[in-house]
Amino acid sequence: AGAAPGDVTVTASVSGLPPVTFSLRVRLPGPGVTAQSFRNYATGERVLSPGGLVILSGEGIGRNVNGQAVANLLVGRLPTELKGLVVEFRSGGQSYYAPIYWIVREQNLEEALIQVPYEIAGTAVDVNVIVDGNGTLVTGVPLSPLSPGMIEDQIDGRRAAIVIRSDGLVATKATPARRGETVRLYAAGLGQTTPLAETNRVGRPDQKVLATV
């Protein structure tokens, strides 16, 4: 079988007795993930929150990717299976599946960006990370109602919050925000809203976060 799944035949023999032959099916191991494999996309903290964006890292999650695989955002909803990767959250006796934005495998880096389902609750959650049907169950991943952080990008050579001017341009040194202008910023990990936010659905204009901002 080697590094690939498949059937193997095993023959066992003992002196003076006839050999015994039997067959086995070898499968690839599950991904190499632990509770430390989950980190807040905006802050880098090792904690999850319902509805938050999380970077999942670990050997094997990008097994079927060369470079980057990005979900098609034009079909309405994000996939809960991308290139063989499925992330199952178990909470309250139910299973909830994470929408997947992208998967990267470059050199020794294997990462995926996922959304934590809004439906999970408690102080910890079990997560089953599956690739090609082979899973690794991670128990007791820390969970918090909130894990707020600003969405950042490389701007003018450094990490900075993404600020959108009223004309749609990103605020940079060359195109700074203007005094008195209304700008737009993006945050994640703010928890539940009213009306309720739903996993893998576009938000409504009248939704407001329940937490004090």
Side-chain angles (χ1 to χ4, degrees):
D7 295 326
V8 295
T9 300
V10 179
T11 300
S13 61
V14 177
S15 178
L17 295 176
V20 176
T21 301
F22 54 94
S23 298
L24 298 174
R25 175 170 289 274
V26 176
R27 67 175 179 82
L28 294 175
V33 293
T34 69
Q36 296 299 306
S37 299
F38 303 84
R39 71 179 190 274
N40 184 301
Y41 175 67
T43 68
E45 293 179 306
R46 308 287 177 175
V47 64
L48 307 179
S49 64
L53 298 179
V54 166
I55 295 289
L56 168 64
S57 59
E59 183 179 357
I61 65 171
R63 181 179 296 155
N64 302 317
V65 176
N66 288 313
Q68 188 176 53
V70 181
N72 183 359
L73 301 178
L74 300 180
V75 297
R77 294 191 185 185
L78 292 166
T80 55
E81 184 276 330
L82 182 63
K83 295 295 183 178
L85 175 64
V86 175
V87 185
E88 174 197 10
F89 287 79
R90 299 178 180 179
S91 178
Q94 300 291 323
S95 291
Y96 305 98
Y97 293 89
I100 304 171
Y101 289 81
W102 49 252
I103 306 171
V104 170
R105 181 164 73 93
E106 296 176 345
Q107 297 180 348
N108 296 324
L109 177 70
E110 295 186 52
E111 292 185 335
L113 177 62
I114 64 173
Q115 181 191 22
V116 180
Y118 273 105
E119 294 83 359
I120 64 174
T123 58
V125 64
D126 297 340
V127 188
N128 191 24
V129 181
I130 305 163
V131 176
D132 294 338
N134 306 315
T136 298
L137 180 63
V138 183
T139 59
V141 181
L143 181 65
S144 172
L146 306 171
S147 56
M150 303 302 300
I151 302 299
E152 300 178 343
D153 201 357
Q154 287 291 129
I155 299 174
D156 295 323
R158 64 185 180 90
R159 294 288 299 179
I162 299 172
V163 180
I164 307 298
R165 305 191 331 176
S166 58
D167 60 3
L169 294 176
V170 176
T172 66
K173 290 180 180 179
T175 55
R178 295 158 290 198
R179 188 183 301 274
E181 180 180 24
T182 298
V183 297
R184 185 168 69 249
L185 295 89
Y186 300 95
L190 301 182
Q192 191 50 271
T193 66
T194 178
L196 291 178
E198 297 179 72
T199 303
N200 213 5
R201 288 183 179 270
V202 176
R204 294 168 41 176
D206 59 340
Q207 282 175 321
K208 296 181 180 180
V209 295
L210 295 175
T212 301
V213 179

